[in-house]
Amino acid sequence: MTQLMGRPILEAPGELGGRPALADLLTGVRTALVGLAVVGVPVLGLWVVTPSVDDGPAAATRLAGVLWLIGHGAPVLRGEADAPLTVTPLLLGALAVVRLHRAGAGVVARRGLRSRWGGPVALWAGYCAVAVAVALHCAGAGPFRSEVLPDILVVALVAALATAAGVRSAEAAGRPLADSLLDRLPPPYRPVGGAAPVRAAALAAGAGLVAAGGLLVAVSAVLDAATGGGRGMALLGRGPAALPALLLLALVLLPNAVLWGAAYALGPGFVVGAGSVVSPGGAALGPVPEFPLFALLPADGPGGWRWAALVLPLLAGVVPAVLLGRAAAGRRGPAAAAGGAGGRPVPWPPAATVTAALAAALLVGVGAALLGRLSGGGLAGGRMAWLGPVPWRAGLAAAGWLALVAVPGALLVRHRVLGAEGERGSAPVGDRSAYARLAWWTRRGALRLRARAHALVLRLSEAGRGALGPDPVD
């Protein structure tokens, strides 16, 4: 009895003695409740400070639950017409995925016995239990309502994928799929070091495109404020809670806006309803919902100076080209660690450099298409059934831009690095292409010929000075 009373009711997850499954179940519940609190606390705070509010606290909690479900990509219904609302606030979605990923990795990393129903399965079950309660609570009357079964299925799928990713990262089992595919290529087309340089280049290109989208959003906001339009501020409602509410909503949708800006920089742009287009070539907009982020859209008409946005994808491809070129020359990353004879780095053949650049472009294209799909959605039926980038267009544009810059850029950087090493007298060990060997021997012969010519000129000048005698002295 003394031991039972001295033992805390809830210990750290994974330390509940013979009940590890219960600990993992509670970890899933806690992960979901923390995410729900991140959404619910601001909503309840705004409900408290809103004057003359007609709805009770149950309406505020339903709104918080709906936002939590939307953050997972779950569809909800809006208004009396049951219009579908499928735009996912990516900031809320990222928070949910990160917490589930960390929870899944933590469950695997903790030591101790696990029963058949413990571990990630119990974690997932606890998270889904909260999702069921939230979906049922939000199914009542109100401006936003949940679709119980689809919402539960979507949340369960997201929780399963994020938890599985966390478990895999903790176990570090198996090889990435890209490594296996590249290892099956013939030696002239196989990059040294596997897919690590390819992934690094793809991440650098993705970061560059995201930075380009953020830059366009910032420039649009500055221009809207500088031109005196003030369209964003004109949309603010009345009351002390209007400004914080719109600012919070704009904040959670800011990653969506940045991805839309990246699609704009790539060229295809995005749509704001059927029959509309927003791209560097011009904008054709119809009626647009009143929201501060929509106030940053360009006015209708041809692109004009907005064509300059197409320079941003070119700049975003420079860093991946440099990374791949230096890796191909054996100067950075796993390629530098893989040595040939004497432990010296092994450069890639030109064909392998092209293969790596095209593989990075393919990864970026797939990522752009996936993020374009996640950042878009519908605000209603009919004309507003889809807003955001068209996924396949954004993916093709991203892959095309990166391939256009990275393929020649990586070859050029590789050639320059190997040429500099050749001038210092180091042959490109391991590069078996006939073109590389011929270029190296040509450079070496030219250097020797230049040195002999210079020595001959010095000898002739000395002989000429000797034949003329000593210089006259005043």
Side-chain angles (χ1 to χ4, degrees):
M1 180 62 69
T2 304
Q3 294 178 355
L4 291 177
M5 294 181 64
R7 184 174 182 176
I9 299 176
L10 286 179
E11 299 180 7
E15 298 178 358
L16 288 178
R19 296 174 292 175
L22 178 60
D24 297 330
L25 185 71
L26 293 177
T27 300
V29 172
R30 184 184 62 184
T31 303
L33 291 179
V34 170
L36 190 60
V38 171
V39 181
V41 169
V43 172
L44 292 175
L46 292 173
W47 173 79
V48 170
V49 301
T50 301
S52 64
V53 63
D54 296 330
D55 298 328
T61 57
R62 280 195 295 268
L63 178 59
V66 164
L67 291 176
W68 185 78
L69 293 173
I70 294 177
H72 293 79
V76 299
L77 302 177
R78 180 175 64 90
E80 298 180 356
D82 288 342
L85 178 61
T86 59
V87 177
T88 303
L90 291 183
L91 183 60
L92 299 180
L95 292 175
V97 170
V98 168
R99 288 198 56 81
L100 282 167
H101 186 278
R102 294 183 60 183
V107 165
V108 176
R110 284 192 296 268
R111 296 180 180 180
L113 297 177
R114 285 292 179 267
S115 64
R116 181 183 302 177
W117 302 107
V121 177
L123 170 69
W124 174 82
Y127 197 91
C128 291
V130 177
V132 171
V134 172
L136 292 175
H137 176 66
C138 299
F144 298 97
R145 295 180 300 281
S146 67
E147 299 182 84
V148 178
L149 183 58
D151 291 350
I152 294 174
L153 292 178
V154 170
V155 174
L157 178 61
V158 171
L161 293 177
T163 305
V167 170
R168 181 177 177 82
S169 66
E171 292 178 345
R175 302 182 59 193
L177 178 61
D179 285 343
S180 301
L181 294 177
L182 289 177
D183 287 343
R184 296 178 182 178
L185 295 175
Y189 302 95
R190 184 190 308 160
V192 179
V198 175
R199 288 194 297 268
L203 289 175
L209 292 177
V210 171
L215 178 62
L216 290 180
V217 172
V219 169
S220 299
V222 171
L223 290 178
D224 180 63
T227 55
R231 293 178 294 168
M233 297 302 297
L235 299 178
L236 297 177
R238 299 178 180 178
L243 178 60
L246 285 176
L247 289 179
L248 286 174
L249 189 56
L251 177 63
V252 298
L253 290 173
L254 185 59
N256 301 63
V258 170
L259 293 178
W260 291 17
Y264 183 92
L266 288 172
F270 54 91
V271 299
V272 189
S276 65
V277 62
V278 181
S279 68
L285 295 171
V288 177
E290 293 187 351
F291 186 68
L293 288 179
F294 288 149
L296 305 181
L297 296 175
D300 289 345
W305 62 269
R306 298 186 183 95
W307 283 105
L310 296 179
V311 178
L312 297 177
L314 293 175
L315 298 178
V318 172
V319 174
V322 173
L323 292 177
L324 288 175
R326 292 186 65 83
R331 303 305 301 167
R332 291 287 177 89
R344 286 182 290 183
V346 180
W348 302 351
T353 306
V354 174
T355 301
L358 293 178
L362 180 62
L363 286 178
V364 173
V366 173
L370 179 61
L371 291 177
R373 177 64 183 86
L374 293 176
S375 66
L379 288 180
R383 182 177 178 273
M384 288 297 169
W386 179 257
L387 293 85
V390 179
W392 67 269
R393 292 180 182 175
L396 285 179
W401 278 111
L402 182 56
L404 179 65
V405 179
V407 171
L411 290 174
L412 178 61
V413 172
R414 172 188 178 277
H415 176 73
R416 292 295 299 272
V417 173
L418 293 179
E421 293 179 353
E423 292 179 358
R424 292 193 296 268
S426 60
V429 179
D431 197 338
R432 300 182 180 275
S433 64
Y435 169 79
R437 291 197 300 270
L438 178 61
W440 184 80
W441 284 110
T442 302
R443 289 193 299 270
R444 184 178 180 184
L447 290 174
R448 289 184 175 181
L449 182 61
R450 185 173 63 182
R452 291 180 180 178
H454 183 66
L456 180 61
V457 170
L458 290 178
R459 290 179 182 178
L460 290 176
S461 62
E462 291 176 357
R465 286 196 301 269
L468 293 176
D471 296 336
V473 179
D474 295 335

